[in-house]
Amino acid sequence: MLLLKILHQISKIVQPIVNRVELSLKAWTKPVSESLVVGTVSDLLTSKPALVAENAFLRQQLVVLKRQVKQPKLTVIDRGLLVLLASRVRP
């Protein structure tokens, strides 16, 4: 009975922390909502090699996603290529 009370108290303390972390993660992973015009202007000012790298990165993501499984398995080559290409794409 004492253990149950302790666990209940711990749950009361931890739950708000978990909720706050969850909200932070949702906000952090939410896509930026910029307009088409801003994105186009940004692309016009970006160097050609940077756009080529971004395009290659997106194409590699599509290759992985087209494997038609619930959770695509990344091979070592996939991971390496994605890391290499992602390092070349502007944030």
Side-chain angles (χ1 to χ4, degrees):
M1 195 64 158
L2 179 62
L3 182 60
L4 189 58
K5 286 183 179 182
I6 293 172
L7 288 175
H8 184 68
Q9 290 298 324
I10 291 173
S11 175
K12 279 182 160 181
I13 295 170
V14 171
Q15 192 60 42
I17 296 170
V18 170
N19 290 342
R20 185 170 293 195
V21 169
E22 183 180 9
L23 287 174
S24 296
L25 283 174
K26 283 181 181 178
W28 180 63
T29 56
K30 184 177 179 182
V32 177
S33 59
E34 59 184 32
S35 71
L36 179 60
V37 174
V38 173
T40 303
V41 170
S42 173
D43 285 346
L44 289 172
L45 299 175
T46 303
S47 68
K48 185 172 181 176
L51 290 175
V52 170
E54 182 178 2
N55 192 325
F57 176 73
L58 295 171
R59 287 179 187 271
Q60 183 61 27
Q61 285 182 321
L62 288 174
V63 166
V64 172
L65 291 174
K66 284 183 179 178
R67 293 191 182 147
Q68 297 297 320
V69 292
K70 287 184 180 179
Q71 185 174 2
K73 301 275 187 198
L74 292 175
T75 64
V76 173
I77 294 171
D78 290 331
R79 287 182 193 278
L81 189 55
L82 287 171
V83 167
L84 175 70
L85 292 171
S87 70
R88 303 288 184 245
V89 175
R90 63 179 168 78

